[in-house]
Amino acid sequence: NMDRGETDGSCAYAFTAAEWEAAHETSAQLSARELADGTWHCPHAATEGREYCLFHLPPDEKDSDRVAEAFLDRIAEAGERPKQFVGARFDGLALEHAVLESSDNHPIDLRHARIEGELDWRYAIVRQPLSLEGAVFQGDARFDEVTVEGDAFFTGARFPSERKAYFVKAAFGGAAILYDVSFHGDSSFFSAIF
């Protein structure tokens, strides 16, 4: 839902939980604490001259490498808000061999994110809890040999295309919640550790 403009330099993206829940007939996985009048508002600054931040701009209007770099920078910041990317839109998200960590334990919040191209997190180490509830992976999703040290939440995530969703030799150190996840292509959890 991109219908709320801002005049203070912040991103105009807003996620209205009730609208999403009505359209998808399931919980949006956001708590009342996170919603102002039923709506979540993006905490990131708008891109200069634009209405939305780098994470909510349409994928064809931004450079994937720049987005990945900015994504890692925000995760490294202390606090909950910098790590929130609810409804973000990515072409691809290449973080192969990256270490995703911060000085705190707030989750990397990618609820309802849409990844249109390839997500490549092979061999990455994720030291924060990871929240991917309701995320949509339209391209290949490569989590091969990823290590997630905290809890990982995939509730309601969707892999709707005939692409790969590979978690080969992935290691989950905390809880791995995959309730109501749908895979439509080639998926593998071969030798994954839970």
Side-chain angles (χ1 to χ4, degrees), residues 67-78:
V67 172
E69 185 178 325
F71 181 73
L72 290 172
D73 287 346
R74 295 299 181 285
I75 290 167
E77 289 181 34

Side-chain angles (χ1 to χ4, degrees), residues 27-41:
S27 171
Q29 303 290 326
L30 277 87
S31 68
R33 178 186 65 82
E34 299 175 283
L35 303 170
D37 299 321
T39 303
W40 177 87
H41 299 282

Side-chain angles (χ1 to χ4, degrees), residues 71 75 83 85 100 106-110 121 126 128-131:
F71 181 73
I75 290 167
K83 296 177 191 63
F85 308 91
L100 290 73
H106 289 295
I108 299 166
D109 187 352
L110 286 162
W121 286 25
V126 184
Q128 308 298 117
L130 182 60
S131 186

Side-chain angles (χ1 to χ4, degrees), residues 22-95:
H24 295 85
E25 298 181 352
T26 187
S27 171
Q29 303 290 326
L30 277 87
S31 68
R33 178 186 65 82
E34 299 175 283
L35 303 170
D37 299 321
T39 303
W40 177 87
H41 299 282
C42 179
H44 303 289
T47 302
E48 188 173 345
R50 303 299 300 274
E51 193 175 0
Y52 303 109
C53 70
L54 187 60
F55 308 107
H56 287 107
L57 282 173
D60 60 358
E61 296 180 25
K62 55 194 176 188
D63 176 78
S64 293
D65 291 339
R66 185 170 162 237
V67 172
E69 185 178 325
F71 181 73
L72 290 172
D73 287 346
R74 295 299 181 285
I75 290 167
E77 289 181 34
E80 179 180 19
R81 298 291 280 165
K83 296 177 191 63
Q84 291 186 320
F85 308 91
V86 174
R89 297 181 64 195
F90 301 95
D91 178 18
L93 192 54
L95 298 174

Side-chain angles (χ1 to χ4, degrees), residues 75 95 98-102 105 107-108 121 123-131 143 145-152 171 173:
I75 290 167
L95 298 174
V99 178
L100 290 73
E101 66 180 338
S102 181
N105 198 37
I108 299 166
W121 286 25
Y123 320 109
I125 298 171
V126 184
R127 296 213 160 108
Q128 308 298 117
L130 182 60
S131 186
F143 290 96
E145 297 191 49
V146 69
T147 299
V148 182
E149 295 181 357
D151 294 341

